Amino acid sequence: MEITMVTKVLEQPTLVLNRNWQPVHVATVERALVLLWNESARVVDPEDFQLYTWADWSKLKPRDGETFVQAVRFRLRVPEVVALTGYDRLPLGAVTFSRRNVFKRDHYTCQYCGAQPGSEELTIDHVLPRSQGGVSSWTNCVLACMACNKRKADRTPEQAGMKLRKQPSRPAWKPLYADHTMRIASWSKFISEAYWNVELQK
Ligand SMILES: [Zn+2]
């Protein structure tokens, strides 16, 4: 593959889906093309969901005004979304349980009253308090505002007469998109699709 490095294009982000079409990663265009070339992934056309192998994709001509990779003998369309072909090629493991990711999962929102007072005013609450044997995990930790945290104190929601807005769970995919300054419009279908899948699995 003799590609003249048009660095900026190759560094653009491509959304990577697993075999179930759940977003798992954001890769560079360069990485996506390598995955495509060695048959680890296929390009997904975000308009009609058609899949393309390297052989098919490399024959397509870029549309007018579309970004492309200038190779020595041909121009290559830039894939915006690719789907991995194998389960063993997942680029990422489970979502790490971290303070930052709990904030992201709960959308900076108190899980008791729905307030969004800003990260400074939010704390991580153990649903089953540590004093009662509660552990730090995806299913036992939620964001709570200062007022709700104080009100709940060392009690379970039932004991405190408070209600969780939803049961906490491990996010199904790594919330990487928020870290990318560049987000491609066509990704939204796949990302909202993942949200729906997560909701339905419960
Ligand atoms: Zn609250």
Side-chain angles (χ1 to χ4, degrees):
M1 193 168 48
E2 291 175 279
I3 286 178
T4 309
M5 295 291 167
V6 183
T7 321
K8 280 198 176 129
V9 175
L10 292 177
E11 281 172 4
Q12 279 181 16
T14 301
L15 184 65
V16 181
L17 310 176
N18 67 14
R19 263 173 66 149
N20 300 322
W21 287 39
Q22 290 170 317
V24 288
H25 193 42
V26 176
T28 59
V29 165
E30 183 177 19
R31 174 77 187 137
L33 289 174
V34 171
L35 287 170
L36 182 65
W37 190 68
N38 67 23
E39 298 181 340
S40 298
R42 289 182 203 161
V43 178
V44 180
D45 186 324
E47 274 167 36
D48 58 10
F49 304 112
Q50 200 177 327
L51 290 168
Y52 294 91
T53 61
W54 167 262
D56 300 332
W57 187 254
S58 57
K59 277 179 213 135
L60 297 179
K61 293 266 183 298
R63 297 167 192 162
D64 281 347
E66 196 181 60
T67 321
F68 58 86
V69 174
Q70 179 69 63
V72 175
R73 283 179 299 273
F74 59 96
R75 285 179 170 184
L76 201 56
R77 289 182 64 193
V78 169
E80 295 183 353
V81 181
V82 298
L84 297 168
T85 52
Y87 284 111
D88 55 340
R89 294 272 182 179
L90 285 187
L92 297 168
V95 184
T96 43
F97 178 70
S98 69
R99 190 180 173 79
R100 190 159 170 246
N101 283 342
V102 172
F103 274 72
K104 282 186 183 177
R105 181 198 63 184
D106 291 349
H107 305 289
Y108 294 79
T109 304
C110 171
Q111 295 301 294
Y112 294 101
C113 73
Q116 295 186 316
S119 55
E120 299 289 298
E121 301 292 315
L122 286 166
T123 58
I124 292 185
D125 170 64
H126 287 75
V127 179
L128 176 66
R130 275 191 277 203
S131 59
Q132 297 186 36
V135 295
S136 296
S137 68
W138 279 117
T139 51
N140 194 47
C141 288
V142 295
L143 287 186
C145 70
M146 297 286 196
C148 288
N149 199 299
K150 202 172 165 199
R151 195 181 136 203
K152 182 170 173 281
D154 260 359
R155 298 178 292 177
T156 64
E158 293 78 39
Q159 291 165 348
M162 294 165 77
K163 210 170 175 314
L164 272 174
R165 294 162 70 85
K166 66 176 190 182
Q167 262 333 101
S169 61
R170 177 189 291 274
W173 45 270
K174 211 159 189 169
L176 275 174
Y177 325 103
D179 294 338
H180 281 260
T181 49
M182 192 171 165
R183 192 190 156 102
I184 293 178
S186 66
W187 292 2
S188 62
K189 316 185 170 179
F190 301 95
I191 292 169
S192 55
E193 192 69 17
Y195 270 123
W196 280 109
N197 287 339
V198 170
E199 294 298 323
L200 290 171
Q201 277 166 12
K202 281 192 203 135

